Amino acid sequence: MLSPVATGRVLQINLSDGGVPKRPVLAGLAVHVTRDGIRGDRQHDLRHHGGPDRAVCVFSVDVMARLAEEGHPIAPGTSGENLTLAGLDWAHVRPGCRLVFERGVVLEATAFAPPCRTIAESFRDGQFERISDKRHPAESRVYCRVLTEGELRAGESVVVLAGG
């Protein structure tokens, strides 16, 4: 049985034609989330990114704020995440949880996203490993599969459901 463990909101939706940084979708515009990811987003390296179990990458602006306090020049979209979420206890966003968005999109977290050197510019001295879950639990991006397709907008609420 899944139970709600955290609530937050979508701060920003980020897309690119491949690579990083991903750029914000204009405020108020909806994006369409499909089983393949967010329409209009691409990845250069399909061996390590994309596909049904890595369709959407999510990260926390609250974790980013802590990283910025450490001197890292990270900002929404610079670490390659599609959805920058706010207000969540990020420790609850882990493989197996579900993210249920206000307009009906449902994602299931499948894995922590391993950091790579393509995001090094977001980190002081290129220390991209700073968001490795193995080194810093609860401070990693998370890959998700899409369980329920639909439209998504910045500002929507999100509920995290964790399995019991």
Side-chain angles (χ1 to χ4, degrees):
M1 182 80 184
L2 297 175
S3 57
V5 293
T7 60
R9 66 182 176 85
V10 179
L11 176 74
Q12 189 168 294
I13 301 169
N14 310 296
L15 307 176
S16 78
D17 194 33
V20 292
K22 291 191 182 285
R23 302 289 181 200
V25 171
L26 292 175
L29 293 181
V31 295
H32 194 75
V33 181
T34 72
R35 300 220 187 270
D36 295 324
I38 299 176
R39 198 170 284 155
D41 187 56
R42 284 190 15 178
Q43 298 82 32
H44 286 306
D45 178 1
L46 295 178
R47 195 175 102 194
H48 295 103
H49 305 287
D53 287 340
R54 300 177 300 209
V56 178
C57 183
V58 299
F59 200 28
S60 167
V61 72
D62 305 297
V63 172
M64 287 181 198
R66 289 193 297 276
L67 294 169
E69 287 174 6
E70 294 174 11
H72 300 289
I74 193 168
T78 66
S79 67
E81 82 279 2
N82 298 113
L83 302 179
T84 308
L85 305 180
L88 293 172
D89 179 344
W90 202 245
H92 292 296
V93 181
R94 48 191 318 95
C97 81
R98 291 189 180 174
L99 297 116
V100 180
F101 296 86
E102 181 179 336
R103 295 169 56 102
V105 169
V106 179
L107 306 179
E108 180 179 51
T110 57
F112 295 111
C116 65
R117 70 180 75 85
T118 61
I119 61 170
E121 289 185 18
S122 292
F123 298 90
R124 185 183 66 230
D125 300 325
Q127 300 171 14
F128 61 89
E129 304 90 357
R130 178 60 186 81
I131 60 170
S132 165
D133 185 70
K134 291 177 183 174
R135 294 182 182 190
H136 300 276
E139 295 191 336
S140 176
R141 300 165 301 160
V142 178
Y143 281 133
C144 298
R145 75 172 53 100
V146 177
L147 298 180
T148 305
E149 298 179 332
E151 289 197 342
L152 185 66
R153 292 179 194 269
E156 276 189 47
S157 64
V158 59
V159 175
V160 179
L161 303 177

